[in-house]
Amino acid sequence: MNLFVANWKMHLTRAEARAYAAELGGRIGDGLEGRELVLAPPFTAFDAARDPRGRWSLASQNVATETAGPMTGEVSAGMAADAGCRYAIVGHSERRRLFGEDGDVLSRKLRRCREAGLVPIYCVGETQEERDADLTSATLIRQIETLRGDLAEAPLVVAYEPVWAIGTGRAASPADAAAARVHLASLLASRRDLRILYGGSVTPENARDLLEATGGDGFLVGGASLSASAFEAIARA
Ligand code: PGA
């Protein structure tokens, strides 16, 4: 089933999240057939963003590397699951860039997700510099290596998010997104339950072309997902 994930990043108060949920619920009625919707709010807005009717589920934007302990400011995968999350975003480029997360840290986060029963949404993608240096393929191979210890049978979502396309208004071309998808699918050929999303400046205007060209499984949406109507339009694309 196609998957549409709204990554709110560090946006929306609880009141705003409640208004968003009410609007989204009103727009989708009994839900969008054949499409799975997920909201990834800040931790503080899990309750406000939840749908009592289950038409969408929740994702944590991050999880800690450990299960519990003296890690001031962190939230564990188990806590996110306890708060009602089904998914967790792991390895978003903002975490990689701003918090230095990579390799070992991310593989520990993936393990914590599995222990807690959360399905990881594992993000990969090359920077502009890597792209210019013709290192896109090598970057994806290195980032996919992090999944080495993860069970091939476990459900997995991978989001291809070229860093230069995130928040820039400059989405990957459908051809580039399709090429990356083919490459990732071949790197992950052993996976039994895999969905590959595209992320990076997805809008209601470009969603259909990107989805068609890539034969994609859906999107991880940042900026445009802050509007319930835009997120709905993308999911209907
Ligand atoms: P964007 O963000 O849609 O604002 O480019 C995507 C993401 O960071 O997941």
Side-chain angles (χ1 to χ4, degrees), residues 18-19 24 31 58 66 89 95 129 159-160 166 196 226:
R18 270 191 294 275
L24 184 62
L58 298 178
E66 311 303 324
I89 299 173
R95 302 291 316 177
E129 293 69 37
Y160 171 62
I166 294 178
I196 301 177
L226 291 173

Side-chain angles (χ1 to χ4, degrees), residues 7 9 92 94 161 165-167 200-202 220-223:
N7 177 11
K9 308 191 179 183
H92 189 280
E94 286 151 17
E161 298 209 304
I166 294 178
S201 296
V202 176
L220 177 54
V221 190

Side-chain angles (χ1 to χ4, degrees), residues 141-153:
I141 290 171
R142 176 173 55 77
Q143 292 172 337
I144 291 298
E145 264 293 290
T146 299
L147 289 163
R148 199 179 12 179
D150 195 51
L151 269 186
E153 291 74 32

Side-chain angles (χ1 to χ4, degrees), residues 134-207:
D134 227 356
L135 289 172
T136 299
S137 167
T139 300
L140 296 183
I141 290 171
R142 176 173 55 77
Q143 292 172 337
I144 291 298
E145 264 293 290
T146 299
L147 289 163
R148 199 179 12 179
D150 195 51
L151 269 186
E153 291 74 32
L156 175 69
V157 179
V158 168
Y160 171 62
E161 298 209 304
V163 179
W164 47 270
I166 294 178
T168 58
R170 191 162 63 91
S173 68
D176 281 349
R181 181 185 159 78
V182 167
H183 187 212
L184 288 169
S186 75
L187 293 175
L188 292 162
S190 66
R191 304 296 308 206
R192 306 281 156 69
D193 182 350
L194 172 68
R195 284 181 287 182
I196 301 177
L197 311 182
Y198 168 78
S201 296
V202 176
T203 63
E205 290 71 37
N206 63 21

Side-chain angles (χ1 to χ4, degrees), residues 9 32 60 62 78 88 90 92 99 110 164 169-170 199 201 203-204 225 234 237:
K9 308 191 179 183
L32 298 184
S60 181
N62 182 33
V90 174
H92 189 280
F99 302 97
L110 289 164
W164 47 270
R170 191 162 63 91
S201 296
T203 63
S225 79
I234 288 168

Side-chain angles (χ1 to χ4, degrees), residues 12-199:
L12 304 193
T13 62
R14 288 183 304 152
E16 288 164 344
R18 270 191 294 275
Y20 184 111
E23 184 185 347
L24 184 62
R27 288 179 170 278
I28 65 173
D30 289 331
L32 298 184
E33 210 177 319
R35 297 160 170 89
E36 183 181 351
L37 303 184
V38 177
L39 302 183
F43 298 130
T44 46
F46 280 153
D47 277 331
R50 186 186 323 279
D51 180 23
R53 292 178 54 191
R55 291 163 297 177
W56 60 82
S57 57
L58 298 178
S60 181
Q61 294 178 18
N62 182 33
V63 295
T65 54
E66 311 303 324
T67 51
M71 296 190 82
T72 301
E74 289 295 275
V75 171
S76 73
M79 290 166 179
D82 177 58
C85 290
R86 179 180 298 171
Y87 295 93
I89 299 173
V90 174
H92 189 280
S93 67
E94 286 151 17
R95 302 291 316 177
R96 292 180 189 265
R97 182 168 52 85
L98 299 170
F99 302 97
E101 297 185 2
D102 205 353
D104 181 51
V105 163
L106 297 178
S107 62
R108 274 152 65 195
K109 292 188 174 203
L110 289 164
R111 273 207 299 284
R112 298 293 94 78
C113 285
R114 295 305 187 190
E115 290 161 5
L118 295 175
V119 176
I121 300 170
Y122 179 65
C123 301
V124 298
E126 80 285 2
T127 62
Q128 183 68 57
E129 293 69 37
E130 287 162 336
R131 184 177 170 82
D132 292 344
D134 227 356
L135 289 172
T136 299
S137 167
T139 300
L140 296 183
I141 290 171
R142 176 173 55 77
Q143 292 172 337
I144 291 298
E145 264 293 290
T146 299
L147 289 163
R148 199 179 12 179
D150 195 51
L151 269 186
E153 291 74 32
L156 175 69
V157 179
V158 168
Y160 171 62
E161 298 209 304
V163 179
W164 47 270
I166 294 178
T168 58
R170 191 162 63 91
S173 68
D176 281 349
R181 181 185 159 78
V182 167
H183 187 212
L184 288 169
S186 75
L187 293 175
L188 292 162
S190 66
R191 304 296 308 206
R192 306 281 156 69
D193 182 350
L194 172 68
R195 284 181 287 182
I196 301 177
L197 311 182
Y198 168 78

